[in-house]
Amino acid sequence: DQQVKQNSPSLSVQEGRISILNCDYTNSMFDYFLWYKKYPAEGPTFLISISSIKDKNEDGRFTVFLNKSAKHLSLHIVPSQPGDSAVYFCAARAGNNRKLIWGLGTSLAVNP
Amino acid sequence: EAGVAQSPRYKIIEKRQSVAFWCNPISGHATLYWYQQILGQGPKLLIQFQNNGVVDDSQLPKDRFSAERLKGVDSTLKIQPAKLEDSAVYLCASSLGSENTEAFFGQGTRLTVV
């Protein structure tokens, strides 16, 4: 039972263009969502988060959009750079002190 | 600021052997997490400590896995006896609070059980 779904295992984008990574969830109790980036042989690194009371959060080239009615969030990277090539994980939490539920990840390749 | 330290980086053992992983979290971080990440999957929380108390160990296979956090700082995760399906990367993470927001991860220990 996958409560957090990242349906695209991989994505390839040209440098300078927009990368859009999608995440769907099934649990309406999730109140906080996070994106982590993971390079090979390293642990995940926190990228950006959004609370369920917001619909958008922006940090530099990274923007996360939340559509609660559709139970969908997306991460936009503009412009994409080769250094953004990594696996991106979507994670969600239901209430304080609750464990994060992680998606399977999307492998992003940004081509020069 | 030093990050989360884990050792060893790699470990290969035979099934039914035992293995232990060590984690030193970021100084001052009260919450420590152990995750298991099987190839092609997202991390799965095994156990969460708040200082030296266990907050969540609902997904820890307690018949073979154990973890402790001495004095609320370093932590060890042990598997005894190991099974083939335990082959995974074991990630340790820490955070200031217990709200599962921004956690900092170590590089992980890649375990191969043969």
Side-chain angles (χ1 to χ4, degrees), chain A residues 2 32 34 36 38 40-47 49 87 89 93 95-105, chain B residues 9-10 35 37 40-45 48 55-56 58-59 91 98-108:
Chain A
Q2 196 72 22
Y32 200 80
L34 303 90
Y36 276 81
K38 185 182 183 302
E42 294 185 14
T45 303
F46 170 76
L47 193 57
S49 63
V87 177
F89 290 98
R93 183 199 76 185
N96 289 347
N97 294 320
R98 298 296 182 93
K99 59 176 173 280
L100 289 178
I101 306 298
W102 295 68
L104 298 183
Chain B
R9 286 297 310 278
Y10 305 92
Y35 284 89
Q37 186 175 15
Q41 298 183 18
K44 181 182 85 170
L45 180 70
Q48 176 181 340
V55 173
D56 187 335
S58 57
Q59 297 191 101
L91 294 161
S98 61
E99 296 179 359
N100 268 310
T101 52
E102 185 179 341
F104 295 83
F105 283 80
Q107 291 182 297

Side-chain angles (χ1 to χ4, degrees), chain A residues 40-90:
Chain A
E42 294 185 14
T45 303
F46 170 76
L47 193 57
I48 193 169
S49 63
I50 188 167
S51 164
S52 60
I53 62 174
K54 296 185 176 181
D55 55 18
K56 177 182 174 182
N57 188 25
E58 189 173 354
D59 183 2
R61 297 185 297 113
F62 303 91
T63 304
V64 56
F65 295 92
L66 175 63
N67 183 334
K68 285 182 64 179
S69 61
K71 295 190 177 67
H72 175 83
L73 63 156
S74 60
L75 173 68
H76 292 210
I77 307 173
V78 183
S80 301
Q81 300 173 354
D84 296 329
S85 298
V87 177
Y88 289 79
F89 290 98
C90 172

Side-chain angles (χ1 to χ4, degrees), chain B residues 12-114:
Chain B
I12 301 174
I13 61 171
E14 294 182 350
K15 59 184 179 184
R16 292 187 289 274
Q17 285 188 321
S18 62
V19 65
F21 313 127
W22 172 82
C23 173
N24 180 234
I26 292 173
S27 177
H29 280 194
T31 306
L32 185 146
Y33 315 82
W34 281 103
Y35 284 89
Q36 179 193 59
Q37 186 175 15
I38 293 172
L39 186 65
Q41 298 183 18
K44 181 182 85 170
L45 180 70
L46 292 176
I47 189 167
Q48 176 181 340
F49 291 96
Q50 178 71 14
N51 296 308
N52 59 354
V54 176
V55 173
D56 187 335
D57 64 355
S58 57
Q59 297 191 101
L60 186 74
K62 298 180 185 64
D63 57 334
R64 297 184 302 106
F65 286 64
S66 64
E68 60 180 5
R69 189 179 184 195
L70 299 175
K71 300 180 182 178
V73 182
D74 292 6
S75 177
T76 55
L77 175 70
K78 296 179 181 177
I79 308 175
Q80 182 179 11
K83 292 185 176 181
L84 296 177
E85 59 261 35
D86 298 332
S87 295
V89 175
Y90 290 84
L91 294 161
C92 178
S94 69
S95 63
L96 272 174
S98 61
E99 296 179 359
N100 268 310
T101 52
E102 185 179 341
F104 295 83
F105 283 80
Q107 291 182 297
T109 296
R110 180 175 294 278
L111 173 68
T112 303
V113 183
V114 298

